[in-house]
Amino acid sequence: MGIGPTDNHDDIRASSRRNSVSSQLAPELERLESSLRDKSEVATIVDWDSNDRESISSPSKEKDAIYVEFKENDPRNPFHFSPLKKWTITITICAYTGMTAACAATFATGAPSMIRDLGCSDLAAAAGVGIYPFGFGLAPLFLASFSEEFGRTPIYLISITIFWLCFLATALSKNIAMVLFFRFLSGAAGSTGSTMVGGSLADIWATSERGLPMSIFGLAAIMSTGLGPVIAGWIEANPKLEWRWIQWLHFITTGVLVLLMMVVLKETRGSVILAKEARRLRKQTGDERYQPLVKPPNLKQLIWMSATRPLYLLFTESVVASFSLWVGFAWGVLYGLIQSVGPVFKTVYGFGPGESGSVFATLCIGAIIGTLLNSYQERLYQRYVKVKGPEARLFAAMVAGILLPIGCFIYAWTCNREIHWIAPCIGIIIIILGIYTIYAAVFNYLADCYLTYASSALAGQSLCRNMAGAAFPMFTNQMYNRLTYKWASSLFGFIAAALAVIPFVLFFWGPKIRARSRFARKMAALEEARTL
């Protein structure tokens, strides 16, 4: 059965503007922050559940407009995809997330042989680590808007193809300038493997079903950051392979994923599906009254909003600013670890490239423990949300605030030849456990606080987080050389201890802080209106 207009009575119903929104849109409306409050006015519908940007749109002002909308239990509605299709899409896009995360870390593992082959400095090699998250942070301010106009699937396919070809170009690079350019480009293209995946999961999974898919998403991001260097370390250790073959391996595995995505990905953006069908009906019938219920926004306006609102929230909202500062520092520590583990374990314990790469398995262990802790946090949230509101998301975050500096101090003061190498590895596990928990808390807490503007709030913290990831590798080695391993890692611990007050302040005084926020007050009023 194809999608068609009302007179066919198949998969799509058309209704006049004067009719109420059908109750059969319940699954789709779960993703919309505002409802059609006044039947006599042009409605504004906001997609607040997506992780790209707010999709703000207005139905046509024509009184006789015919809205194209999904029928109840319509299998073409992404919420009603079969479980097999949902999980196929989920696993595929989470694999893309894993690829982009692994690429961030494997570059540092191959840096020694690249420095030798290209004759570049240590600082230039460190720039190759940092420039990747730089592209990762900037590109979503513009790329995410295009998914509102053209759908998620074309953006995925175009971006992963560019991401894939960048590995070919890097492997064939003759100088460090080419490497840095393609590292930036791969970061910009690969950013969709993070920023759009959350939105895609929100497109197909109801809120009550989304816990496991989102956990897989987070686990893929953190675990792959550790798993990639474990493999790359042994490639670097083989003098016949080294850094270029790390890139060739990425090229081969990503190429397989490109083919898989071309086969299994289906469009999940409901508004885009309806907009395409409305265009088809207008062309087929010559009747310009056919309009999607959620009309695609003006692309130019959406790009402007996507690029400016996150910055506005970042600099004017204390909740966004404080959490962004915290997660930004945590992400900087993660990239500092990526840059420092190899030199630390080589100098202190005499590890080779393969052994040093294997140390990154601690990131996988920390991520797994973090996933288990996050599941307990979800139970606490369900128990206390009616009493604490969004602050019920912060129980595990307060624990993470304590764990992160403890992990930094353990890593700092156990990096000693007289102490077994397992001790600093335990410190790294605790650090990653803290970072993973902070990462999860930021997404959930800001989403609950800002609702309609959650995407912009999350984009603001994402920009801050990735800019810190770009900056830290540029001074990590110099800091470790000047301060020594003990005091450099201790400095991270002292800063982490100072920032640990943030979740406690928000847990106890968050409602008062949010009460002074214009955006948060607007969201609270909107949430109250929805319950009427």
Side-chain angles (χ1 to χ4, degrees), residues 328-348:
F329 172 76
W331 217 245
V333 171
L334 174 63
Y335 272 83
L337 278 176
I338 291 171
Q339 185 67 13
S340 70
V341 163
V344 167
F345 279 83
K346 178 182 178 180
T347 302
V348 177

Side-chain angles (χ1 to χ4, degrees), residues 187-425:
S191 65
T192 58
S194 174
T195 56
M196 283 206 330
V197 170
S200 296
L201 297 179
D203 289 342
I204 60 178
W205 297 100
T207 303
S208 59
E209 305 171 324
R210 206 174 297 150
L212 180 57
M214 288 301 291
S215 294
I216 294 173
F217 169 46
L219 194 62
I222 303 297
M223 274 196 66
S224 297
T225 304
L227 186 60
V230 171
I231 300 171
W234 293 105
I235 297 175
E236 173 69 6
N238 188 329
K240 296 181 179 180
L241 301 176
E242 298 185 325
W243 74 277
R244 292 191 190 273
W245 264 100
I246 293 174
Q247 302 304 315
W248 284 119
L249 181 60
H250 276 301
F251 178 71
I252 294 168
T253 53
T254 306
V256 174
L257 185 59
V258 170
L259 295 176
L260 182 63
M261 292 180 75
M262 288 180 177
V263 173
V264 305
L265 278 194
K266 306 296 180 186
E267 182 56 55
T268 63
R269 189 73 175 170
S271 59
V272 172
I273 295 173
L274 294 177
K276 289 181 179 179
E277 177 58 19
R279 285 197 296 269
R280 187 188 70 81
L281 291 173
R282 290 195 298 270
K283 182 177 180 180
Q284 183 181 49
T285 64
D287 190 341
E288 295 297 321
R289 293 178 300 164
Y290 286 107
Q291 300 291 337
L293 180 64
V294 181
K295 191 174 181 180
N298 179 280
L299 183 59
K300 183 182 296 185
Q301 293 177 348
L302 185 57
I303 292 175
W304 173 253
M305 180 184 67
S306 299
T308 57
R309 183 177 287 169
L311 296 175
Y312 181 81
L313 290 175
L314 184 61
F315 290 109
T316 62
E317 290 292 304
S318 56
V319 171
V320 178
S322 60
F323 244 131
S324 297
L325 176 65
W326 193 33
V327 75
F329 172 76
W331 217 245
V333 171
L334 174 63
Y335 272 83
L337 278 176
I338 291 171
Q339 185 67 13
S340 70
V341 163
V344 167
F345 279 83
K346 178 182 178 180
T347 302
V348 177
Y349 296 105
F351 280 17
E355 292 88 351
S356 296
S358 297
V359 172
F360 282 92
T362 55
L363 276 69
C364 303
I365 297 172
I368 292 172
I369 299 174
T371 302
L372 298 176
L373 178 61
N374 192 54
S375 66
Y376 182 65
Q377 161 63 49
E378 281 300 309
R379 290 199 292 272
L380 291 176
Y381 173 76
Q382 295 298 332
R383 183 184 305 174
Y384 293 106
V385 63
K386 293 183 179 179
V387 177
K388 296 295 296 181
E391 282 66 37
R393 296 284 191 186
L394 299 178
F395 290 105
M398 291 187 287
V399 176
I402 298 171
L403 290 177
L404 183 57
I406 289 176
C408 288
F409 288 126
I410 292 175
Y411 180 59
W413 291 94
T414 58
C415 282
N416 191 310
R417 287 186 178 89
E418 299 177 356
I419 301 175
H420 195 277
W421 58 263
I422 197 67
C425 287

Side-chain angles (χ1 to χ4, degrees), residues 174-190:
K174 301 299 183 183
N175 54 63
I176 190 63
M178 291 179 64
V179 171
L180 294 179
F181 173 77
F182 289 114
R183 280 286 290 177
F184 173 80
L185 187 59
S186 65

Side-chain angles (χ1 to χ4, degrees), residues 54-185:
E54 290 81 11
S55 172
I56 301 179
S57 51
S58 301
S60 171
K61 295 184 180 180
E62 296 294 332
K63 291 185 177 182
D64 57 350
I66 303 174
Y67 291 144
V68 178
E69 53 184 283
F70 291 113
K71 182 183 177 182
E72 184 179 11
N73 298 322
D74 188 340
R76 289 161 183 79
N77 184 338
F79 271 104
H80 296 145
F81 283 172
S82 69
L84 177 61
K85 182 182 290 188
K86 286 184 178 183
W87 278 113
T88 300
I89 293 172
T90 297
I91 298 301
T92 302
I93 59 179
C94 286
Y96 183 24
T97 300
M99 289 288 187
T100 60
C103 175
T106 55
F107 184 85
T109 309
S113 60
M114 184 190 71
I115 292 172
R116 182 202 64 216
D117 289 351
L118 300 183
C120 63
S121 65
D122 290 347
L123 183 61
V129 177
I131 202 169
Y132 182 85
F134 185 72
F136 217 88
L138 287 181
L141 295 178
F142 307 96
L143 281 181
S145 304
F146 288 91
S147 70
E148 305 288 350
E149 178 75 14
F150 305 109
R152 301 202 195 278
T153 298
I155 305 303
Y156 274 131
L157 295 179
I158 293 172
S159 62
I160 194 175
T161 300
I162 296 173
F163 180 70
W164 171 53
L165 293 176
C166 283
F167 292 120
L168 173 64
T170 304
L172 298 175
S173 293
K174 301 299 183 183
N175 54 63
I176 190 63
M178 291 179 64
V179 171
L180 294 179
F181 173 77
F182 289 114
R183 280 286 290 177
F184 173 80
L185 187 59

